[in-house]
């Protein structure tokens, strides 16, 4: 009898956990050392297994604390973020931003080209060099922790912007709104082990591992 009760309790606890854990961290699309030397394996492992994992856990906990466990559409949450707690804003943004970030990085040279996006960038910014300068400046000058983005706005224009903390342009509170198609994490946890205070060195290494094929996929999705 006692054993049956314990099994029942375990089942109930397990079911509850499943309900709380509405957001789960997708597997990293490559090994921790795949982006070396630009991003070292130790930074990747800590970044993915500690920082990103914590955003996912705290997003689930934040929604639960607000009685909003049934909200499972992250894009919908972000676009209505002013109606949620700071915990959901910080951790929902954190989850989305890191998912995007992992996807736009690669050392596979065959993925580092996109005629479609390069053309659109040249049309908007005059040249790739101009865009690079503007994007990296937004990342370098973001005070404290945050992100720099290349965004497709609602009227299908490309713009560069940056946000503090884990905010992003999908949020209704963002100054520049749109769909981010490329982003770079400039929190110190993203680079401090290898680059210490030299954010500019990290950014120039980042520039050489952009998965432009994935940026193109996101661009075409946003242009629909
Ligand atoms: Mn990060």
């Amino acid at each position: 009898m006692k054993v049956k009760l314990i099994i029942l309790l375990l089942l109930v606890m397990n079911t509850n956990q499943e309900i709380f854990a509405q957001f789960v961290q997708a597997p990293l699309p490559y090994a921790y050392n795949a982006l070396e030397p630009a991003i070292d394996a130790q930074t990747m492992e800590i970044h993915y297994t500690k920082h990103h994992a914590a955003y996912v856990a705290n997003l689930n906990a934040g929604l639960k604390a607000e009685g909003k466990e049934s909200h499972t559409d992250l894009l919908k949450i972000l676009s209505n973020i002013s109606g949620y707690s700071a915990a959901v804003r910080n951790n929902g943004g954190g989850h989305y931003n890191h998912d995007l970030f992992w996807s736009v990085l690669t050392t596979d040279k065959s993925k580092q080209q996109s005629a479609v996006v390069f053309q659109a960038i040249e049309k908007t910014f005059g040249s790739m060099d101009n865009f690079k300068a503007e994007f990296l400046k937004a990342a370098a000058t973001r005070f404290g922790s945050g992100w720099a983005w290349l965004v497709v706005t609602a009227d299908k224009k490309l713009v560069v912007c940056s946000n503090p903390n884990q905010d992003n342009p999908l949020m209704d509170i963002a100054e520049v709104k749109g769909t981010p198609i490329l982003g770079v994490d400039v929190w110190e946890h993203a680079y401090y082990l290898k680059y210490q205070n030299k954010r500019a060195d990290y950014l120039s290494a980042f520039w050489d591992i952009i998965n432009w094929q994935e940026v193109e996929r996101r661009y075409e999705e946003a242009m629909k």
Side-chain angles (χ1 to χ4, degrees):
M1 190 61 203
K2 253 187 188 169
V3 173
K4 270 188 186 166
L5 189 66
I6 288 167
I7 289 171
L8 188 67
L9 273 171
L10 283 172
L11 277 172
V12 169
M13 283 164 70
N14 191 42
T15 312
N16 275 342
Q17 263 174 3
E18 303 259 319
I19 294 166
F20 303 160
Q22 61 268 59
F23 290 103
V24 292
Q25 193 178 21
L28 196 66
Y30 34 70
Y32 298 131
N33 66 357
L35 304 176
E36 287 191 339
I39 301 177
D40 61 287
Q42 193 187 10
T43 296
M44 276 306 295
E45 183 168 0
I46 295 170
H47 203 171
Y48 175 80
T49 65
K50 305 296 180 200
H51 295 277
H52 185 188
Y55 296 127
V56 176
N58 291 331
L59 169 61
N60 290 330
L63 286 168
K64 184 179 183 297
E66 281 188 81
K68 292 173 180 167
E69 300 99 309
S70 62
H71 297 201
T72 54
D73 183 338
L74 188 53
L75 288 174
K76 225 170 169 179
I77 292 172
L78 296 176
S79 64
N80 295 290
I81 205 71
S82 57
Y84 290 84
S85 64
V88 171
R89 175 172 166 178
N90 291 334
N91 294 291
H95 180 30
Y96 183 91
N97 296 346
H98 286 83
D99 258 353
L100 184 149
F101 187 50
W102 310 138
S103 78
V104 296
L105 301 176
T106 185
T107 48
D108 181 347
K109 295 270 174 236
S110 72
K111 293 180 179 167
Q112 293 174 347
Q113 298 289 323
S114 162
V116 174
V117 175
F118 290 2
Q119 236 170 35
I121 283 175
E122 274 164 29
K123 208 177 142 204
T124 305
F125 299 92
S127 71
M128 197 62 176
D129 282 348
N130 286 352
F131 166 67
K132 180 181 176 183
E134 191 177 332
F135 184 83
L136 294 186
K137 188 181 168 204
T141 57
R142 164 49 55 195
F143 183 76
S145 298
W147 293 76
W149 307 103
L150 174 62
V151 176
V152 176
T153 61
D155 54 353
K156 309 299 181 192
K157 299 231 162 58
L158 283 178
V159 295
V160 166
C161 69
S162 83
N163 293 102
N165 307 316
Q166 295 294 352
D167 287 357
N168 69 40
L170 293 165
M171 294 179 172
D172 59 354
I173 46 89
E175 217 172 289
V176 175
K177 289 184 195 65
T179 305
I181 60 171
L182 171 67
V184 62
D185 187 345
V186 295
W187 283 58
E188 283 186 345
H189 69 226
Y191 61 87
Y192 208 85
L193 282 180
K194 182 177 166 86
Y195 296 97
Q196 293 82 48
N197 59 317
K198 298 181 283 273
R199 188 189 283 188
D201 290 358
Y202 157 69
L203 289 173
S204 100
F206 156 81
W207 188 260
D208 293 330
I209 55 164
I210 295 174
N211 184 341
W212 287 105
Q213 283 294 301
E214 172 63 15
V215 178
E216 177 178 300
R217 191 192 65 75
R218 289 174 181 272
Y219 173 75
E220 289 187 325
E221 186 69 31
M223 291 300 282
K224 272 183 196 162

